[in-house]
Short mmCIF file of all heavy atoms in Angstrom, two decimals:
data_model
loop_
_atom_site.label_atom_id
_atom_site.label_comp_id
_atom_site.label_asym_id
_atom_site.label_seq_id
_atom_site.Cartn_x
_atom_site.Cartn_y
_atom_site.Cartn_z
N VAL P 6 -1.62 17.39 -4.36
CA VAL P 6 -1.81 17.80 -3.05
C VAL P 6 -3.33 18.24 -2.87
O VAL P 6 -3.99 17.91 -1.90
CB VAL P 6 -0.88 18.88 -2.57
CG1 VAL P 6 -1.32 19.53 -1.25
CG2 VAL P 6 0.53 18.35 -2.43
N THR P 7 -3.76 19.01 -3.80
CA THR P 7 -5.17 19.49 -3.81
C THR P 7 -6.12 18.29 -3.87
O THR P 7 -7.12 18.28 -3.12
CB THR P 7 -5.46 20.39 -5.03
OG1 THR P 7 -4.61 21.56 -4.86
CG2 THR P 7 -6.89 20.83 -5.04
N SER P 8 -5.83 17.35 -4.72
CA SER P 8 -6.69 16.10 -4.83
C SER P 8 -6.81 15.33 -3.52
O SER P 8 -7.80 14.92 -3.05
CB SER P 8 -6.19 15.19 -5.99
OG SER P 8 -6.37 15.89 -7.20
N ILE P 9 -5.59 15.18 -2.84
CA ILE P 9 -5.59 14.44 -1.57
C ILE P 9 -6.41 15.29 -0.56
O ILE P 9 -7.19 14.66 0.20
CB ILE P 9 -4.18 14.22 -1.14
CG1 ILE P 9 -3.51 13.18 -2.10
CG2 ILE P 9 -4.06 13.75 0.32
CD1 ILE P 9 -1.96 13.05 -1.86
N ASP P 10 -6.18 16.58 -0.51
CA ASP P 10 -6.82 17.42 0.45
C ASP P 10 -8.41 17.35 0.19
O ASP P 10 -9.22 17.38 1.22
CB ASP P 10 -6.47 18.86 0.39
CG ASP P 10 -5.13 19.11 0.98
OD1 ASP P 10 -4.72 18.27 1.88
OD2 ASP P 10 -4.49 20.14 0.71
N ASP P 11 -8.83 17.18 -1.05
CA ASP P 11 -10.25 17.11 -1.39
C ASP P 11 -10.86 15.79 -0.83
O ASP P 11 -12.03 15.84 -0.46
CB ASP P 11 -10.48 17.15 -2.90
CG ASP P 11 -10.25 18.53 -3.45
OD1 ASP P 11 -10.22 19.50 -2.70
OD2 ASP P 11 -10.14 18.59 -4.69
N VAL P 12 -10.15 14.77 -0.81
CA VAL P 12 -10.78 13.46 -0.42
C VAL P 12 -10.49 13.09 1.02
O VAL P 12 -11.31 12.31 1.64
CB VAL P 12 -10.28 12.23 -1.30
CG1 VAL P 12 -10.65 12.49 -2.73
CG2 VAL P 12 -8.81 11.99 -1.15
N LEU P 13 -9.48 13.61 1.69
CA LEU P 13 -9.14 13.23 3.08
C LEU P 13 -10.34 13.34 4.02
O LEU P 13 -10.50 12.41 4.90
CB LEU P 13 -7.96 14.04 3.60
CG LEU P 13 -6.55 13.47 3.37
CD1 LEU P 13 -5.51 14.44 3.78
CD2 LEU P 13 -6.42 12.11 3.98
N PRO P 14 -11.18 14.33 3.97
CA PRO P 14 -12.27 14.40 4.92
C PRO P 14 -13.28 13.24 4.77
O PRO P 14 -14.07 12.99 5.71
CB PRO P 14 -13.01 15.75 4.61
CG PRO P 14 -12.00 16.52 3.85
CD PRO P 14 -11.09 15.56 3.13
N TYR P 15 -13.22 12.52 3.67
CA TYR P 15 -14.19 11.48 3.42
C TYR P 15 -13.68 10.10 3.73
O TYR P 15 -14.40 9.10 3.69
CB TYR P 15 -14.68 11.53 1.95
CG TYR P 15 -15.31 12.79 1.56
CD1 TYR P 15 -14.58 13.76 0.91
CD2 TYR P 15 -16.65 12.99 1.86
CE1 TYR P 15 -15.15 15.04 0.61
CE2 TYR P 15 -17.29 14.21 1.51
CZ TYR P 15 -16.51 15.21 0.85
OH TYR P 15 -17.09 16.38 0.55
N VAL P 16 -12.41 10.01 4.03
CA VAL P 16 -11.72 8.73 4.26
C VAL P 16 -12.18 8.13 5.64
O VAL P 16 -12.11 8.85 6.63
CB VAL P 16 -10.15 8.84 4.21
CG1 VAL P 16 -9.48 7.53 4.55
CG2 VAL P 16 -9.71 9.33 2.84
N SER P 17 -12.52 6.88 5.66
CA SER P 17 -12.87 6.30 6.94
C SER P 17 -11.77 5.34 7.47
O SER P 17 -11.63 5.26 8.71
CB SER P 17 -14.19 5.51 6.80
OG SER P 17 -14.21 4.65 5.81
N SER P 18 -11.03 4.74 6.67
CA SER P 18 -9.98 3.79 7.06
C SER P 18 -8.75 4.60 7.54
O SER P 18 -8.21 5.35 6.79
CB SER P 18 -9.53 2.86 5.88
OG SER P 18 -8.31 2.27 6.18
N PRO P 19 -8.26 4.27 8.74
CA PRO P 19 -7.03 4.93 9.22
C PRO P 19 -5.85 4.60 8.34
O PRO P 19 -4.96 5.44 8.14
CB PRO P 19 -6.83 4.35 10.61
CG PRO P 19 -8.24 3.88 11.06
CD PRO P 19 -8.89 3.47 9.82
N ASP P 20 -5.78 3.42 7.77
CA ASP P 20 -4.70 2.97 6.91
C ASP P 20 -4.69 3.76 5.63
O ASP P 20 -3.64 4.26 5.16
CB ASP P 20 -4.84 1.49 6.62
CG ASP P 20 -3.63 0.95 5.90
OD1 ASP P 20 -2.50 1.44 6.01
OD2 ASP P 20 -3.75 -0.07 5.11
N LEU P 21 -5.87 3.99 5.08
CA LEU P 21 -5.95 4.73 3.78
C LEU P 21 -5.59 6.22 4.12
O LEU P 21 -4.89 6.90 3.32
CB LEU P 21 -7.37 4.65 3.17
CG LEU P 21 -7.58 5.44 1.89
CD1 LEU P 21 -6.56 5.04 0.84
CD2 LEU P 21 -9.01 5.26 1.37
N LYS P 22 -6.09 6.75 5.23
CA LYS P 22 -5.77 8.09 5.61
C LYS P 22 -4.33 8.24 5.81
O LYS P 22 -3.67 9.31 5.27
CB LYS P 22 -6.51 8.43 6.86
CG LYS P 22 -6.46 9.94 7.18
CD LYS P 22 -7.39 10.27 8.33
CE LYS P 22 -8.74 10.52 7.70
NZ LYS P 22 -9.64 11.38 8.42
N GLN P 23 -3.64 7.34 6.38
CA GLN P 23 -2.15 7.33 6.59
C GLN P 23 -1.42 7.30 5.25
O GLN P 23 -0.47 8.06 5.09
CB GLN P 23 -1.71 6.20 7.52
CG GLN P 23 -0.22 6.06 7.62
CD GLN P 23 0.45 7.32 8.08
OE1 GLN P 23 -0.05 8.02 9.00
NE2 GLN P 23 1.64 7.63 7.62
N ASN P 24 -1.86 6.43 4.35
CA ASN P 24 -1.26 6.38 3.05
C ASN P 24 -1.39 7.74 2.28
O ASN P 24 -0.41 8.16 1.66
CB ASN P 24 -1.89 5.26 2.20
CG ASN P 24 -1.29 3.90 2.57
OD1 ASN P 24 -0.11 3.67 2.46
ND2 ASN P 24 -2.19 2.99 2.95
N LEU P 25 -2.56 8.29 2.29
CA LEU P 25 -2.76 9.53 1.64
C LEU P 25 -1.99 10.69 2.29
O LEU P 25 -1.35 11.48 1.56
CB LEU P 25 -4.27 9.96 1.56
CG LEU P 25 -5.12 8.99 0.72
CD1 LEU P 25 -6.63 9.32 0.95
CD2 LEU P 25 -4.79 9.14 -0.72
N SER P 26 -1.93 10.68 3.64
CA SER P 26 -1.14 11.77 4.28
C SER P 26 0.32 11.63 4.04
O SER P 26 1.01 12.64 3.77
CB SER P 26 -1.44 11.67 5.79
OG SER P 26 -2.76 11.99 6.04
N SER P 27 0.84 10.38 3.97
CA SER P 27 2.26 10.18 3.69
C SER P 27 2.59 10.59 2.30
O SER P 27 3.60 11.21 2.05
CB SER P 27 2.52 8.66 3.89
OG SER P 27 3.86 8.43 3.58
N CYS P 28 1.72 10.32 1.37
CA CYS P 28 1.90 10.67 -0.01
C CYS P 28 1.91 12.24 -0.12
O CYS P 28 2.76 12.84 -0.85
CB CYS P 28 0.86 10.08 -0.93
SG CYS P 28 1.02 10.48 -2.68
N LYS P 29 0.99 12.83 0.53
CA LYS P 29 0.94 14.36 0.53
C LYS P 29 2.23 14.92 1.05
O LYS P 29 2.76 15.85 0.50
CB LYS P 29 -0.28 14.80 1.33
CG LYS P 29 -0.40 16.33 1.39
CD LYS P 29 -1.51 16.76 2.27
CE LYS P 29 -1.54 18.21 2.55
NZ LYS P 29 -2.58 18.65 3.41
N ASN P 30 2.70 14.37 2.19
CA ASN P 30 3.98 14.86 2.78
C ASN P 30 5.13 14.69 1.77
O ASN P 30 6.01 15.53 1.64
CB ASN P 30 4.21 14.15 4.09
CG ASN P 30 3.32 14.51 5.16
OD1 ASN P 30 2.69 15.60 5.09
ND2 ASN P 30 3.17 13.73 6.16
N SER P 31 5.19 13.54 1.08
CA SER P 31 6.21 13.32 0.09
C SER P 31 6.11 14.31 -1.07
O SER P 31 7.17 14.83 -1.53
CB SER P 31 6.15 11.91 -0.52
OG SER P 31 6.40 10.96 0.51
N HIS P 32 4.92 14.61 -1.50
CA HIS P 32 4.75 15.62 -2.46
C HIS P 32 5.19 17.02 -2.01
O HIS P 32 5.87 17.74 -2.78
CB HIS P 32 3.21 15.75 -2.82
CG HIS P 32 2.80 14.79 -3.83
ND1 HIS P 32 2.55 13.50 -3.62
CD2 HIS P 32 2.39 14.98 -5.16
CE1 HIS P 32 2.13 12.82 -4.71
NE2 HIS P 32 2.01 13.73 -5.63
N ILE P 33 4.95 17.33 -0.81
CA ILE P 33 5.39 18.64 -0.28
C ILE P 33 6.91 18.70 -0.21
O ILE P 33 7.49 19.74 -0.48
CB ILE P 33 4.68 18.92 1.07
CG1 ILE P 33 3.20 19.13 0.87
CG2 ILE P 33 5.35 20.13 1.80
CD1 ILE P 33 2.38 19.14 2.15
N GLU P 34 7.50 17.64 0.23
CA GLU P 34 9.02 17.55 0.30
C GLU P 34 9.59 17.76 -1.11
O GLU P 34 10.54 18.53 -1.27
CB GLU P 34 9.49 16.29 0.87
CG GLU P 34 9.23 16.16 2.39
CD GLU P 34 9.51 14.80 2.90
OE1 GLU P 34 10.19 13.95 2.26
OE2 GLU P 34 9.11 14.49 4.06
N LEU P 35 9.00 17.07 -2.09
CA LEU P 35 9.49 17.21 -3.47
C LEU P 35 9.24 18.65 -3.99
O LEU P 35 10.08 19.23 -4.73
CB LEU P 35 8.86 16.16 -4.42
CG LEU P 35 9.36 14.74 -4.25
CD1 LEU P 35 8.51 13.78 -5.07
CD2 LEU P 35 10.85 14.66 -4.69
N LYS P 36 8.15 19.19 -3.64
CA LYS P 36 7.78 20.56 -4.02
C LYS P 36 8.86 21.54 -3.59
O LYS P 36 9.28 22.44 -4.31
CB LYS P 36 6.41 20.98 -3.62
CG LYS P 36 6.12 22.43 -4.08
CD LYS P 36 4.78 22.86 -3.76
CE LYS P 36 4.58 24.35 -4.29
NZ LYS P 36 5.53 24.97 -5.06
N ASP P 37 9.27 21.33 -2.33
CA ASP P 37 10.37 22.21 -1.76
C ASP P 37 11.64 22.09 -2.56
O ASP P 37 12.28 23.10 -2.81
CB ASP P 37 10.61 21.88 -0.26
CG ASP P 37 9.43 22.25 0.55
OD1 ASP P 37 8.54 23.07 0.15
OD2 ASP P 37 9.36 21.78 1.78
N GLU P 38 11.98 20.86 -2.94
CA GLU P 38 13.19 20.64 -3.74
C GLU P 38 13.06 21.21 -5.12
O GLU P 38 14.03 21.87 -5.67
CB GLU P 38 13.48 19.12 -3.84
CG GLU P 38 13.93 18.51 -2.60
CD GLU P 38 14.21 17.02 -2.77
OE1 GLU P 38 15.10 16.70 -3.57
OE2 GLU P 38 13.60 16.16 -2.07
N ILE P 39 11.91 21.08 -5.75
CA ILE P 39 11.62 21.67 -7.03
C ILE P 39 11.67 23.12 -6.97
O ILE P 39 12.27 23.82 -7.83
CB ILE P 39 10.29 21.13 -7.61
CG1 ILE P 39 10.50 19.67 -7.97
CG2 ILE P 39 9.84 21.96 -8.75
CD1 ILE P 39 9.22 18.91 -8.28
N GLN P 40 11.02 23.71 -5.89
CA GLN P 40 11.07 25.17 -5.76
C GLN P 40 12.45 25.77 -5.61
O GLN P 40 12.77 26.79 -6.16
CB GLN P 40 10.18 25.62 -4.61
CG GLN P 40 9.87 27.15 -4.58
CD GLN P 40 9.24 27.61 -5.83
OE1 GLN P 40 8.19 27.11 -6.24
NE2 GLN P 40 9.83 28.56 -6.50
N ALA P 41 13.31 25.04 -4.91
CA ALA P 41 14.70 25.48 -4.72
C ALA P 41 15.40 25.58 -6.13
O ALA P 41 16.14 26.48 -6.41
CB ALA P 41 15.48 24.50 -3.82
N LEU P 42 15.16 24.58 -6.97
CA LEU P 42 15.73 24.62 -8.29
C LEU P 42 15.14 25.70 -9.13
O LEU P 42 15.79 26.41 -9.93
CB LEU P 42 15.64 23.27 -8.98
CG LEU P 42 16.49 22.11 -8.45
CD1 LEU P 42 16.20 20.81 -9.19
CD2 LEU P 42 17.94 22.49 -8.61
N LEU P 43 13.85 25.87 -9.04
CA LEU P 43 13.14 26.95 -9.77
C LEU P 43 13.72 28.31 -9.35
O LEU P 43 13.86 29.21 -10.19
CB LEU P 43 11.61 26.89 -9.62
CG LEU P 43 10.91 25.78 -10.40
CD1 LEU P 43 9.51 25.60 -9.89
CD2 LEU P 43 10.89 26.06 -11.88
N ASP P 44 13.88 28.50 -8.03
CA ASP P 44 14.46 29.75 -7.53
C ASP P 44 15.78 30.04 -8.21
O ASP P 44 16.10 31.19 -8.45
CB ASP P 44 14.54 29.69 -6.00
CG ASP P 44 13.23 29.73 -5.27
OD1 ASP P 44 12.21 30.09 -5.95
OD2 ASP P 44 13.16 29.42 -4.10
N LYS P 45 16.60 28.99 -8.32
CA LYS P 45 17.89 29.08 -8.97
C LYS P 45 17.80 29.72 -10.37
O LYS P 45 18.64 30.48 -10.80
CB LYS P 45 18.56 27.71 -9.00
CG LYS P 45 19.97 27.67 -9.55
CD LYS P 45 20.51 26.24 -9.47
CE LYS P 45 21.22 25.93 -10.76
NZ LYS P 45 21.70 24.53 -10.73
N TYR P 46 16.70 29.39 -11.04
CA TYR P 46 16.45 29.94 -12.40
C TYR P 46 15.53 31.15 -12.41
O TYR P 46 15.09 31.58 -13.44
CB TYR P 46 15.84 28.80 -13.26
CG TYR P 46 16.86 27.70 -13.55
CD1 TYR P 46 16.72 26.46 -12.93
CD2 TYR P 46 17.91 27.81 -14.41
CE1 TYR P 46 17.64 25.44 -13.11
CE2 TYR P 46 18.79 26.83 -14.64
CZ TYR P 46 18.62 25.64 -14.02
OH TYR P 46 19.56 24.59 -14.23
N HIS P 47 15.27 31.64 -11.24
CA HIS P 47 14.37 32.82 -11.04
C HIS P 47 13.02 32.57 -11.70
O HIS P 47 12.48 33.40 -12.43
CB HIS P 47 15.04 34.11 -11.63
CG HIS P 47 16.40 34.30 -11.17
ND1 HIS P 47 16.70 34.67 -9.83
CD2 HIS P 47 17.67 34.11 -11.74
CE1 HIS P 47 18.01 34.76 -9.64
NE2 HIS P 47 18.59 34.46 -10.74
N ASP P 48 12.46 31.43 -11.45
CA ASP P 48 11.18 31.00 -11.99
C ASP P 48 10.20 30.75 -10.86
O ASP P 48 10.63 30.13 -9.85
CB ASP P 48 11.30 29.83 -12.90
CG ASP P 48 10.05 29.61 -13.80
OD1 ASP P 48 9.11 28.98 -13.32
OD2 ASP P 48 10.02 30.11 -14.93
N LYS P 49 8.92 31.13 -11.06
CA LYS P 49 7.96 30.93 -10.01
C LYS P 49 7.18 29.64 -10.05
O LYS P 49 6.32 29.37 -9.19
CB LYS P 49 6.96 32.13 -9.96
CG LYS P 49 7.61 33.41 -9.63
CD LYS P 49 6.68 34.55 -9.58
CE LYS P 49 7.41 35.79 -9.32
NZ LYS P 49 6.65 36.91 -8.84
N GLY P 50 7.47 28.80 -11.03
CA GLY P 50 6.72 27.59 -11.19
C GLY P 50 5.51 27.69 -12.01
O GLY P 50 5.36 28.64 -12.73
N LYS P 51 4.58 26.73 -11.83
CA LYS P 51 3.44 26.74 -12.60
C LYS P 51 2.21 26.17 -11.88
O LYS P 51 2.32 25.27 -11.05
CB LYS P 51 3.63 25.73 -13.83
CG LYS P 51 2.50 25.59 -14.80
CD LYS P 51 2.86 24.73 -15.93
CE LYS P 51 1.63 24.44 -16.81
NZ LYS P 51 1.95 23.48 -17.87
N GLU P 52 1.09 26.87 -12.03
CA GLU P 52 -0.17 26.36 -11.47
C GLU P 52 -0.77 25.33 -12.38
O GLU P 52 -0.65 25.45 -13.63
CB GLU P 52 -1.16 27.56 -11.26
CG GLU P 52 -0.70 28.53 -10.17
CD GLU P 52 -0.62 27.94 -8.76
OE1 GLU P 52 -1.52 27.11 -8.45
OE2 GLU P 52 0.30 28.26 -8.04
N PRO P 53 -1.52 24.41 -11.84
CA PRO P 53 -2.22 23.42 -12.68
C PRO P 53 -3.23 24.21 -13.58
O PRO P 53 -3.72 25.20 -13.17
CB PRO P 53 -2.95 22.53 -11.74
CG PRO P 53 -2.33 22.75 -10.43
CD PRO P 53 -1.72 24.11 -10.37
#
């Protein structure tokens, strides 16, 4: 997500911007699912 956020301001193609934004949204959805499981184990996750 950080990497996508770093490059999005430089993207000129609407198609590439859409692909990156869609990928970012998928990452965020998966993060929510992962966080729900981590919460079950009382774990806060991990920073890169």
Side-chain angles (χ1 to χ4, degrees):
V6 168
T7 298
S8 296
I9 291 170
D10 283 341
D11 286 347
V12 301
L13 270 175
Y15 301 97
V16 175
S17 53
S18 165
D20 187 29
L21 180 56
K22 190 169 276 207
Q23 173 57 38
N24 280 301
L25 292 171
S26 295
S27 176
C28 183
K29 178 182 171 183
N30 291 338
S31 295
H32 275 72
I33 291 168
E34 288 172 16
L35 284 171
K36 180 173 181 5
D37 291 344
E38 291 182 56
I39 287 166
Q40 191 58 55
L42 288 176
L43 284 167
D44 289 346
K45 181 177 141 183
Y46 293 105
H47 308 289
D48 194 276
K49 294 183 184 196
K51 180 179 173 183
E52 290 297 319

